[in-house]
Amino acid sequence: MSEEAETVYVGSKPILTYVLAVINAFQRADKVKVLARGRAISSAVDVVEVARRSFIENLKIENIEIGTETVGEGDQARNVSTIAITLSKEK
Amino acid sequence: MSEEAETVYVGSKPILTYVLAVINAFQRADKVKVLARGRAISSAVDVVEVARRSFIENLKIENIEIGTETVGEGDQARNVSTIAITLSKEK
């Protein structure tokens, strides 16, 4: 099992798509990082909450970070908020 | 100045409305808790990021918690995700 965290990017697909991706990622690594930006931040929290409550009994939220990224260039550049939720499993 | 945290609930108004509420809350307390649920979670992150980047230079994110609340009763009951972001100012 990899020491490095697997990453799951949350977008606009159904929540369960990403819950499944998190479950699969835990087959390959001890830590899984759930990332999202903009409107998908709410979905990322949904993904973690559904995974924790209904699918992965010993899921542990290690860390939550928020930040800002610049998207686009020149006149089109705008800031979007980001979230990174790092998950592990309680032994 | 109060020892207890002031609370700002983020909903569907413009982001700057809540940024102003956070700035005002810091007049009354050393800690401010930004709360939101459902789709407003993304806005809560926007509020904190805009406050941190453009308005409150020494803003510190003390803690971020996510959870689930049940809204409605009986057949109408459904789960919504929640976020609580606790803020303070670096001395």
Side-chain angles (χ1 to χ4, degrees):
Chain A
M1 188 121 31
S2 167
E3 286 290 303
E4 278 182 40
E6 285 275 323
T7 301
V8 173
Y9 290 94
V10 175
S12 55
K13 291 179 192 167
I15 298 301
L16 284 179
T17 310
Y18 303 108
V19 173
L20 192 64
V22 169
I23 293 168
N24 285 336
F26 269 120
Q27 308 294 321
R28 297 187 299 272
D30 291 331
K31 287 192 184 185
V32 177
K33 219 168 181 171
V34 176
L35 303 180
R37 56 190 192 184
R39 293 301 105 190
I41 289 174
S42 306
S43 306
V45 174
D46 287 342
V47 167
V48 172
E49 283 298 299
V50 170
R52 185 176 67 81
R53 289 167 53 91
S54 306
F55 292 94
I56 311 173
E57 226 172 276
N58 52 349
L59 191 69
K60 192 181 159 201
I61 296 165
E62 293 256 330
N63 189 36
I64 305 177
E65 276 176 69
I66 62 175
T68 303
E69 270 178 27
T70 304
V71 175
E73 284 179 15
D75 287 355
Q76 310 279 300
R78 61 198 178 80
N79 293 324
V80 290
S81 299
T82 62
I83 197 165
I85 307 172
T86 306
L87 304 174
S88 68
K89 285 185 183 178
E90 217 118 32
K91 300 289 170 195
Chain B
M1 190 122 25
S2 168
E3 286 290 303
E4 278 180 42
E6 284 276 322
T7 301
V8 173
Y9 290 93
V10 175
S12 55
K13 290 180 192 168
I15 297 301
L16 284 179
T17 309
Y18 303 109
V19 173
L20 192 64
V22 169
I23 293 167
N24 285 336
F26 269 120
Q27 308 294 320
R28 298 187 298 272
D30 291 331
K31 288 193 183 184
V32 176
K33 219 166 181 172
V34 176
L35 302 180
R37 57 190 191 183
R39 294 301 106 190
I41 288 174
S42 306
S43 305
V45 174
D46 286 343
V47 167
V48 172
E49 283 298 300
V50 170
R52 185 176 67 80
R53 288 168 53 92
S54 306
F55 293 92
I56 311 173
E57 224 172 278
N58 52 348
L59 191 69
K60 192 182 160 203
I61 296 165
E62 293 257 329
N63 190 36
I64 306 177
E65 276 176 69
I66 62 175
T68 303
E69 270 177 30
T70 305
V71 175
E73 283 178 18
D75 287 356
Q76 310 279 299
R78 61 198 179 82
N79 292 324
V80 291
S81 299
T82 61
I83 197 165
I85 306 172
T86 306
L87 305 173
S88 67
K89 286 185 183 177
E90 218 118 34
K91 302 288 170 189

